[in-house]
Amino acid sequence: MNITVLGAGAWGTALAVQAATQHAVWLWGRDPAQVAALHAARANDRYLPGIALPEALVVGHDFDAAVRHAAGGLLVIATPMSGLRGMLARLPADARVFWLCKGFEAGTGRLGHEVAREVLPQARSGVLSGPSFAQEVAQLQPTALVAASTDAGLCELGVRAFHSDSLRVYSSDDPIGVEVGGAVKNVLAIATGIADGLCLGLNARAALITRGLAEMARLGAALGAKPETFMGLSGLGDLVLTATGDLSRNRRVGLMLAAGQRLPQILDELGHVAEGVYSARTVCERAQALGVEMPITQAVVAVLDERVTPAKAVGELMRREAKRER
């Protein structure tokens, strides 16, 4: 199968490396200088240091050639959420495409499938998501993902494209739930990082993850997702990984906020996109419009906006009125 990955960041590179063990893969990068560096080093030293690119993996910055390569095969968009709309607009109307980005689109508050419905309605499209750090995928360590679309044939194509000895790919007909899980878990990982950075203990971490999962499921239900999706890879699985894993950028943001660093400094030091920072406000706005209560998410936004300190945000959450768990 011919596969083109559009975006040569860490996750796009990792998936291209993984897929190149079985298929003819083209990795497209928008920056000619970066692409030249990838060619010279046969590695993505900026985003994925220490991982050699397979000789069979083609790297290029000619967008039209990259898209033509995937004719009859599969396109994968590996940009941040902010780049999804523009990338979809450049694809053929009949494209078969998955995206990897996790979040709500800033400004519109739309999920990926909603953006695709506006921009490329005739395309066969879906989301590839789940608990996965790019570095481990590129190292061919065992990982499980979910290919989600209302198009069963596209899900099957996603499984055939990426399922391997080191990568299990499940299918789902609930892209709404998969996308909500992928978006909200990044915000909750910031919250858990704050709690860990304040040394609040393992009890607090477990409580945040559990109640955060309840927030995620409430928002998903209001948007039309299936409840069981949140007990799967893109819900509980991705939340646990991102909230507790040392490779999590969103968790690291929380740790640095707890240490007293300001957000601009954190983002400058991070050097990579932490989607939770950009999607937290949008998650809150969409939840409020739907009448969905998300107190942990609201607390994260308040800390990011510097309206409260991390310690005060935790105190306010603990002082909330006792409620029945359901």
Side-chain angles (χ1 to χ4, degrees):
M1 183 188 305
N2 282 7
I3 299 170
T4 290
V5 178
L6 300 169
W11 190 203
T13 301
L15 196 65
V17 167
Q18 168 73 233
T21 62
Q22 304 179 99
H23 304 287
V25 181
W26 183 306
L27 177 63
W28 174 84
R30 62 178 177 82
D31 183 356
Q34 183 203 13
V35 170
L38 293 179
H39 272 298
R42 293 307 298 175
N44 193 338
D45 292 328
R46 178 181 178 185
Y47 292 107
L48 210 59
I51 303 296
L53 301 183
E55 288 301 319
L57 177 61
V58 176
V59 182
H61 65 269
D62 184 328
F63 186 83
D64 291 337
V67 171
R68 284 197 301 271
H69 171 80
L74 189 64
L75 289 159
V76 179
I77 296 175
T79 66
M81 192 67 194
S82 59
L84 178 61
R85 180 178 293 270
M87 194 60 67
L88 286 169
R90 301 178 67 181
L91 300 184
D94 61 349
R96 299 192 293 188
V97 57
F98 281 98
W99 48 85
L100 308 179
C101 43
K102 300 175 179 180
F104 288 83
E105 184 182 45
T108 69
R110 287 172 172 75
L111 290 164
H113 76 278
E114 295 172 314
V115 175
R117 192 164 58 212
E118 284 185 5
V119 178
L120 208 64
Q122 301 306 314
R124 301 176 64 186
S125 63
V127 58
L128 187 66
S129 191
S132 50
F133 288 137
Q135 183 175 334
E136 294 187 2
V137 171
Q139 291 170 337
L140 306 184
Q141 293 184 271
T143 302
L145 300 176
V146 56
S149 175
T150 55
D151 183 329
L154 184 70
C155 287
E156 184 179 326
L157 188 67
V159 172
R160 284 199 290 118
F162 300 111
H163 197 86
S164 69
D165 290 344
S166 59
L167 182 62
R168 288 188 61 81
V169 182
Y170 294 80
S171 60
S172 169
D173 62 357
D174 183 20
I176 298 174
V178 168
E179 289 192 316
V180 170
V184 177
K185 60 93 182 180
N186 286 326
V187 182
L188 300 174
I190 295 174
T192 311
I194 289 172
D196 287 349
L198 293 174
C199 300
L200 300 183
L202 298 179
N203 294 349
R205 179 196 285 182
L208 271 172
I209 290 174
T210 306
R211 296 312 304 163
L213 182 62
E215 289 192 13
M216 178 192 294
R218 284 198 296 268
L219 179 59
L223 289 167
K226 298 180 178 180
E228 59 268 25
T229 299
F230 299 104
M231 297 307 296
L233 290 168
S234 59
L236 178 61
D238 211 356
L239 174 58
V240 169
L241 179 74
T242 312
T244 65
D246 291 337
L247 294 176
S248 166
R249 294 192 291 270
N250 292 284
R251 169 179 163 77
R252 188 177 168 196
V253 168
L255 291 169
M256 296 167 84
L257 286 168
Q261 291 183 249
R262 299 191 65 196
L263 187 59
Q265 177 189 0
I266 292 171
L267 297 180
D268 186 58
E269 287 186 27
L270 209 59
H272 295 265
V273 174
E275 287 282 11
V277 172
Y278 304 104
S279 62
R281 296 173 188 84
T282 311
V283 171
C284 266
E285 290 167 2
R286 188 120 193 213
Q288 289 168 355
L290 293 166
V292 175
E293 189 178 27
M294 300 186 74
I296 298 172
T297 301
Q298 290 171 345
V300 170
V301 173
V303 172
L304 293 173
D305 289 346
E306 297 185 343
R307 288 186 277 117
V308 298
T309 65
K312 185 176 180 181
V314 171
E316 289 177 354
L317 283 172
M318 292 301 295
R319 286 190 294 272
R320 295 181 72 246
E321 181 184 355
K323 295 187 176 183
R324 181 181 180 87
E325 184 180 46
R326 63 183 190 274

